[in-house]
Amino acid sequence: MSTKPIFVATHPRACSTAFERVFMTRRDILTCVHEPFGDAFYFGPERMSTRYENDEQARKESGFANSTFKTILERIERESKEGKRLFIKDMACYLVPPNGQLATIAPSLCGKTVKKGVGTNGMNGEMNGTNGTNGTNGFVNGHHMAPFPYETEAETRNPTVVPAEILKQFHFTFLIRHPRHSIPSYYRCTVPPLDKITGFYNFMLSEAGFDELRRVFDFLVENKQVGPTRAGQHGELKDGEVSITVIDADDLLDDPEGIVSAYCKEVGIKYDPQMLIWDTEEDHQRAKDVFEKWNGFHNDAINSTSLKPRDSAHKKKSKTVESEDREWREKYGEEGARIIRECVNTNIADYEYLKSFAIKV
């Protein structure tokens, strides 16, 4: 069994923040870190997304214009000094260049090694390397290097900009949701009226996140960082062994206790039914503070008080393609429905592949 920091790798609109709230109740043993790598992906000098490329003011106002992948890992290191195990939830696509581009290691991490394990007791996480004018720390003659693509080398088969030796320090698990649910939900956040709150004023197909999540998953399995045993299909795990643990959001919403308790078993946490309830003033204030940087995306999770099984009226019923298209046209118009359908169809194969590994209870 692994005691490494838990990393829930997911894609946008997978009910991941509701899942995160479950583990935020375990302040006795866990320190939760909410979506840290988006700071570098969108806003920092190593940014890979073009969403804010022409909006320097927005990058500055975010407060993360100087965030690099190194500074984020250093933040994770500081969080670990509380002596509790870390629970990190983030989008896999924040670690992977968009649109299938070849990943090369982030300049701030290039050529560096980690002395001890990130997020474990006794680690200092300091990374050896050089500071100077050769660009390996993300600067050249005092100036930031241009954003992605970086002038750095790739690691064999590694789809991320983080060295494999650093990835090995995390206990990866995965959370997915069918694209017919996640994609319309994400699209809604990028069009009026919600776009004025989220600050995402256009829908980008590259942000769906399924392709990147599958590639990260495959790399970790091939690299023997995860698996080969599957969740719920093994005996006692060896010291440091990590099972393949994939959760489908619809399974989670239909049977929170069954899925969360099974997940806890795989990551070495004792399940407590009270993990599914968060209804104190302290709980709500903490959620608001943690989730505020992605305003508009987490309102349902912020306003929730617990995670209960969906009743029959709210369970996702099977719909035909025609009924889905009709619903999307009514909400988002012809062009919006076309974009959503194209994105859904593009990502179904990756979802179904990952779904084949999902926990069954």
Side-chain angles (χ1 to χ4, degrees):
M1 179 65 68
S2 165
T3 58
K4 297 175 182 179
I6 300 163
F7 194 127
V8 182
T10 187
H11 58 80
R13 313 308 287 171
C15 302
S16 61
T17 304
F19 188 63
E20 184 179 0
R21 288 216 67 173
V22 171
F23 293 90
M24 287 172 67
T25 66
R26 295 306 305 271
R27 292 188 290 274
D28 56 326
I29 60 170
L30 297 175
T31 296
C32 291
V33 182
H34 177 71
E35 299 184 13
F37 291 98
D39 303 350
F41 179 79
Y42 283 114
F43 303 114
E46 296 174 332
R47 60 191 176 275
M48 294 187 285
S49 172
T50 59
R51 180 170 287 284
Y52 295 103
E53 189 57 37
N54 298 317
D55 194 346
E56 183 179 6
Q57 185 65 25
R59 297 200 304 271
K60 289 181 177 179
E61 290 177 354
S62 74
F64 305 116
N66 295 318
S67 292
T68 66
F69 288 94
K70 180 176 185 287
T71 65
I72 290 167
L73 287 166
E74 289 173 339
R75 175 201 159 190
I76 291 172
E77 171 198 335
R78 290 193 298 272
E79 297 279 5
S80 75
K81 290 184 177 178
E82 291 185 14
K84 301 174 184 178
R85 193 176 182 189
L86 295 185
F87 182 93
I88 303 160
K89 187 268 288 188
D90 215 339
M91 308 300 137
C93 59
Y94 293 166
L95 302 177
V96 179
N99 300 312
Q101 298 175 87
L102 175 67
T104 60
I105 300 303
S108 63
L109 302 177
C110 189
K112 304 188 177 192
T113 58
V114 177
K115 291 181 178 178
K116 298 183 181 179
V118 174
T120 56
N121 292 340
M123 60 72 71
N124 60 13
E126 293 177 0
M127 301 176 189
N128 296 324
T130 58
N131 294 316
T133 59
N134 64 357
T136 59
N137 67 341
F139 296 87
V140 179
N141 296 325
H143 298 285
H144 289 300
M145 293 176 65
F148 196 86
Y150 313 133
E151 295 180 1
T152 55
E153 293 183 356
E155 284 189 346
T156 303
R157 300 185 65 80
N158 184 353
T160 81
V161 299
V162 178
E165 286 303 309
I166 293 179
L167 295 177
K168 286 179 181 178
Q169 296 164 24
F170 298 98
H171 180 140
F172 277 92
T173 62
F174 307 88
L175 175 61
I176 58 173
R177 189 185 186 192
H178 200 292
R180 67 163 56 97
H181 305 316
S182 66
I183 300 302
S185 177
Y186 195 66
Y187 186 86
R188 174 176 169 267
C189 295
T190 66
V191 296
L194 201 52
D195 59 349
K196 290 184 179 179
I197 300 174
T198 63
F200 279 37
Y201 292 100
N202 61 301
F203 179 78
M204 300 175 70
L205 296 171
S206 62
E207 291 177 340
F210 288 89
D211 168 72
E212 293 82 2
L213 185 60
R214 176 176 179 166
R215 287 193 285 135
V216 169
F217 175 89
D218 281 343
F219 175 72
L220 295 174
V221 172
E222 291 168 7
N223 216 29
K224 295 182 170 55
Q225 183 176 338
V226 173
T229 57
R230 297 193 186 190
Q233 300 180 22
H234 57 79
E236 191 71 22
L237 292 173
K238 299 176 183 177
D239 186 31
E241 189 175 1
V242 173
S243 66
I244 296 174
T245 303
V246 179
I247 289 177
D248 186 287
D250 280 311
D251 296 336
L252 172 68
L253 297 177
D254 289 339
D255 183 9
E257 184 166 13
I259 294 295
V260 172
S261 60
Y263 179 89
C264 285
K265 182 178 180 181
E266 299 301 326
V267 297
I269 294 174
K270 184 177 180 180
Y271 173 70
D272 182 340
Q274 291 302 307
M275 293 171 66
L276 302 181
I277 302 170
W278 47 85
D279 196 17
T280 68
E281 186 174 334
E282 181 183 5
D283 289 331
H284 296 313
Q285 187 58 52
R286 188 161 179 265
K288 289 177 182 178
D289 293 342
V290 169
F291 303 148
E292 67 179 351
K293 76 174 180 179
W294 297 116
N295 194 22
F297 285 99
H298 302 316
N299 292 351
D300 289 344
I302 289 174
N303 295 324
S304 66
T305 59
S306 63
L307 188 57
K308 298 177 181 178
R310 292 187 292 200
D311 58 34
S312 57
H314 291 90
K315 286 188 177 183
K316 294 293 183 182
K317 296 179 174 62
S318 296
K319 295 181 179 180
T320 65
V321 169
E322 291 74 20
S323 64
E324 285 179 336
D325 287 342
R326 182 168 57 253
E327 177 183 334
W328 298 339
R329 283 195 300 270
E330 291 172 355
K331 290 182 177 179
Y332 307 115
E334 289 286 347
E335 181 63 8
R338 183 194 66 77
I339 291 171
I340 292 170
R341 174 56 62 194
E342 176 186 345
C343 192
V344 168
N345 289 347
T346 298
N347 290 286
I348 284 177
D350 289 330
Y351 163 78
E352 290 181 341
Y353 170 76
L354 293 167
K355 171 70 172 178
S356 70
F357 296 91
I359 287 178
K360 296 178 177 62
V361 296

